[in-house]
Amino acid sequence: MAKPAIVFVCAECGSETLKWQGQCPQCSQWNTLEQRTVARRPGAQAAVASPSTDLADLDTDLPRLETGMGELDRVLGGGLIPGSVTLLGGEPGIGKSTLLLQLANHAARVTPTLYLSAEESAAQIGVRARRLGVAGSHLRVVADTDLEAMMARAREQGVKLLIVDSIQTVQLASIGTAAGAITQLKECTAQLVRFAKSSGVSVVIVGHVTKDGAIAGPRVLEHLVDTVLYFESDASSRFRNVRATKNRFGSVGELAFFHMGEAGLREVRNPSAIFLARSGAPAPGSVVAVTRDGRRPLLVELQGLVDRMRFGSPRRVAQGLDAQRVAMLLAVMNRHAGVSLQEHDVFVNLVGGLEVTETACDLPVALALASSLADKPIAQDLVAFGEIGLTGELRPVAYGEERLREAAKLGFTTALIPKDNAPRAPIEGLRIREFTRLEDALKAALGGS
């Protein structure tokens, strides 16, 4: 029998070394190396290579498993691909288990499904299912922490969808560490990936997150899986959104919106309504921007507040936008549009807690701040989008016509846009005003010219 080899594994980053050291050579943490025994394979045998296949001969028409929620299907690229592994992360209590229980209940009606929970007992899952109104007559549920036993059970039952809640609480008996350790996380995820690829079973994994919002464990977990979804929410909001940060079978950056209620999560088909809860009377500093998240145009209220500086240096605060870009826009407004805010505190906020990184909000930011400074409201039926260059020109943004059609669909009648974003054909019910310079757009919005 071959003598087992001894290696030392870092409990923080999972790196391996052949001798013990006080400090890990990879992550520089102290006293994190733990001894592990690795069995050597007796007599190295020639590996059997997998046969190669012409790319043109591969079957690319794989049927997707629908989740029962159109929003989630869109983020996934149309549904779950057979043999895919999806990692869902989010803060405690945000609704990860609720979402997956609803998904499993829908999938179990058309395909064998197994819900593995290592955090709750089967009875506790039943209590939650009754609260959510989930019948689950065809859904198989098991509470265990032994991953190998659960994969064997999934093979025996011919399962086509396996949900693991969560990866930090299951373990492999062959690895002598506690559940949640770096080595356990890597090996459990690798085992699930091999199981999914070899059997064609769709696997969905729940991942805990750290206080920084990243999925707990080494980053290799996100490299191993096919899709990474993050469950996000504002602390004071009833709404949740799921964002795809990695997707081998669809677009990255797609966003799905849900409403959390007593009966679980309900998809929001018109998320623009969330961000357009405006007051009845027009108010200075408020304008509707047409932004884009993933492939979906969104209309969101952008608010600006300008207040004369009381003491010290002027404040520049931006919620939902890049504060550095707001500072740049203030310099352009001062130099090329005659709007000086050097002696004013400036506050910019995107209503609803949405984070926007694209440049299409440049023109709405300038309009909101100029409106607040002049104390003149902007018409409530007006929307705007466009990028502002350093020389004061208005530059086009991508998917301009789609943004305009979304604004018209929601009842807006006027749009201020860059000239190069003009649509090829008129859009019914929408008056489009095109500009090449920032100062002309500001005069049109505030002066009515």
Side-chain angles (χ1 to χ4, degrees):
M1 180 179 293
K3 184 178 180 181
I6 294 177
V7 297
F8 295 88
V9 181
C10 177
E12 290 292 330
C13 67
S15 63
E16 299 179 358
T17 181
L18 295 178
K19 63 179 181 178
W20 186 88
Q21 303 177 53
Q23 184 182 36
C24 173
Q26 295 296 326
C27 65
S28 301
Q29 295 294 317
W30 290 93
N31 300 320
T32 57
L33 293 182
E34 301 174 352
Q35 181 176 317
R36 299 284 184 272
T37 301
V38 180
R40 291 175 175 169
R41 291 185 300 172
Q45 300 178 355
V48 179
S50 300
S52 60
T53 307
D54 288 340
L55 181 61
D57 297 335
L58 294 175
D59 182 14
T60 58
D61 189 19
L62 295 177
R64 291 180 181 260
L65 176 62
E66 295 182 355
T67 64
M69 291 169 278
E71 286 285 294
L72 187 58
D73 285 338
R74 188 176 53 79
V75 170
L76 291 169
L80 294 168
I81 287 282
S84 64
V85 181
T86 302
L87 179 61
L88 174 65
E91 295 180 356
I94 199 171
K96 301 184 297 297
S97 299
T98 298
L99 177 68
L100 293 183
L101 187 58
Q102 292 179 238
L103 185 159
N105 178 62
H106 179 271
R109 301 171 186 172
V110 295
T111 190
T113 302
L114 178 63
Y115 187 100
L116 165 62
S117 176
E119 299 180 347
E120 300 175 281
S121 67
Q124 290 172 331
I125 298 173
V127 170
R128 180 155 52 89
R130 283 192 294 273
R131 179 176 59 84
L132 299 175
V134 173
S137 56
H138 303 286
L139 175 60
R140 305 293 298 176
V141 175
V142 62
D144 201 346
T145 59
D146 190 339
L147 184 61
E148 289 176 328
M150 292 307 99
M151 288 190 295
R153 177 173 297 184
R155 289 191 184 96
E156 293 173 1
Q157 297 179 356
V159 167
K160 293 301 179 184
L161 173 61
L162 173 63
I163 296 176
V164 181
D165 186 8
S166 65
I167 192 62
Q168 278 82 9
T169 53
V170 297
Q171 57 184 337
L172 295 170
S174 57
I175 300 176
T177 58
I182 297 294
T183 309
Q184 282 284 4
L185 290 176
K186 289 172 58 178
E187 290 302 320
C188 288
T189 305
Q191 285 275 21
L192 286 170
V193 171
R194 286 192 289 268
F195 168 72
K197 304 305 179 187
S198 62
S199 62
V201 175
S202 300
V203 178
V204 182
I205 305 171
V206 174
H208 297 169
V209 297
T210 64
K211 61 181 180 181
D212 299 326
I215 295 178
R219 203 59 186 260
V220 70
L221 264 64
E222 299 184 35
H223 290 288
L224 286 172
V225 301
D226 300 305
T227 305
V228 179
L229 305 178
Y230 274 90
F231 220 145
E232 304 168 346
S233 173
D234 192 305
S236 59
S237 175
R238 296 172 299 168
F239 297 98
R240 309 283 192 268
N241 57 68
V242 177
R243 185 186 302 273
T245 60
K246 174 187 177 181
N247 193 351
R248 289 173 178 161
F249 313 115
S251 301
V252 174
E254 287 292 344
L255 197 62
F257 290 88
F258 298 92
H259 175 270
M260 176 63 82
E262 291 293 332
L265 290 162
R266 178 171 52 86
E267 57 184 322
V268 179
R269 299 186 182 275
N270 183 20
S272 294
I274 303 173
F275 309 110
L276 291 180
R278 309 176 77 187
S279 58
S286 173
V287 65
V288 175
V290 189
T291 184
R292 188 176 170 87
D293 210 315
R295 292 182 296 178
R296 163 186 287 170
L298 292 175
L299 274 71
V300 57
E301 182 185 359
L302 191 149
Q303 295 178 339
L305 175 63
V306 174
D307 187 30
R308 183 165 292 279
M309 179 181 60
R310 297 292 189 272
F311 55 86
S313 57
R315 299 178 64 191
R316 306 289 187 252
V317 179
Q319 296 289 338
L321 295 164
D322 182 6
Q324 296 297 324
R325 188 158 191 88
V326 172
M328 184 198 76
L329 294 176
L330 295 177
V332 175
M333 292 172 65
N334 178 51
R335 179 69 180 270
H336 298 289
V339 180
S340 177
L341 298 173
Q342 297 177 356
E343 298 180 355
H344 294 78
D345 293 329
V346 173
F347 306 89
V348 181
N349 177 45
L350 271 177
V351 176
L354 189 68
E355 295 282 340
V356 173
T357 57
E358 67 163 0
T359 57
C361 284
D362 288 358
L363 180 56
V365 167
L367 292 173
L369 294 178
S371 170
S372 178
L373 179 65
D375 199 25
K376 292 183 178 181
I378 295 175
Q380 287 195 308
D381 61 353
L382 181 146
V383 297
F385 63 85
E387 179 181 347
I388 298 176
L390 290 179
T391 60
E393 81 278 12
L394 291 183
R395 305 175 63 86
V397 296
Y399 305 101
E401 190 164 343
E402 291 183 12
R403 299 172 195 257
L404 292 173
R405 294 191 182 280
E406 181 71 12
K409 186 173 69 175
L410 293 177
F412 289 87
T413 60
T414 306
L416 270 60
I417 64 171
K419 185 177 179 61
D420 291 338
N421 272 132
R424 299 176 183 176
I427 297 177
E428 183 178 358
L430 188 64
R431 178 192 178 200
I432 298 174
R433 308 190 65 179
E434 309 159 11
F435 301 93
T436 58
R437 301 291 303 176
L438 171 61
E439 58 268 29
D440 295 334
L442 294 180
K443 289 177 183 178
L446 301 177
S449 60

